[in-house]
Amino acid sequence: QVQLVESGGGLVQAGGSLRLSCAASERTFNMYAMGWFRQAPGKEREFVAASSWIAGSTKYADSAKGRFTIARDNAKHTLHLQMNSLKPEDTAVYYCAAIDTTYATNWYEGIVAYWGQGTQVTVSS
């Protein structure tokens, strides 16, 4: 059974930073590409960033480029999302996700095999 456990959400002022973490089992972490999605109130869930099993392979949504950094801690089997220069429009529930392959060219909700429980990020203006 694949379990993804997120942590690190919270309330932050605009311009601030947060780091989200997603802990997974060793097998999951080594076999599957993993990423982050988010869902704002009244909106569909959208892709944010992803990291494949292939070292150095990352992908970002345009809204995340230059502000967010996704990184894998191989020793702790944990995926991080460092979010800087946060904006009120980044407010959403952030979900850790894993797909059942090592790499994906395009990330969207339909290819996700496993989801975390979600963690709330609120950015105040």
Side-chain angles (χ1 to χ4, degrees):
Q1 184 176 1
V2 174
Q3 284 191 318
L4 305 174
V5 181
E6 299 116 330
S7 61
L11 173 64
V12 65
Q13 288 188 331
S17 299
L18 281 175
R19 189 176 81 154
L20 306 183
S21 299
C22 174
S25 67
E26 180 178 4
R27 181 176 183 273
T28 299
F29 195 77
N30 291 337
M31 289 184 63
Y32 302 146
M34 296 175 62
W36 293 92
F37 285 71
R38 68 185 183 185
Q39 187 168 22
K43 294 187 177 182
E44 294 184 351
R45 189 150 46 183
E46 63 177 6
F47 169 72
V48 176
S51 174
S52 79
W53 180 82
I54 302 171
S57 177
T58 58
K59 192 173 183 68
Y60 296 93
D62 288 342
S63 60
K65 289 178 181 177
R67 300 188 300 128
F68 295 2
T69 302
I70 191 169
R72 301 168 70 94
D73 183 335
N74 293 328
K76 297 183 178 180
H77 313 132
T78 300
L79 183 73
H80 298 291
L81 183 68
Q82 178 67 42
M83 304 186 294
N84 299 327
S85 302
L86 282 163
K87 306 174 182 180
E89 51 264 45
D90 294 318
T91 295
V93 177
Y94 283 70
Y95 295 91
C96 182
I99 62 175
D100 56 1
T101 185
T102 57
Y103 178 78
T105 301
N106 296 307
W107 279 73
Y108 54 96
E109 191 173 358
I111 69 169
V112 175
Y114 309 102
W115 293 100
Q117 81 282 3
T119 185
Q120 177 70 45
V121 171
T122 302
V123 184
S124 63
S125 58

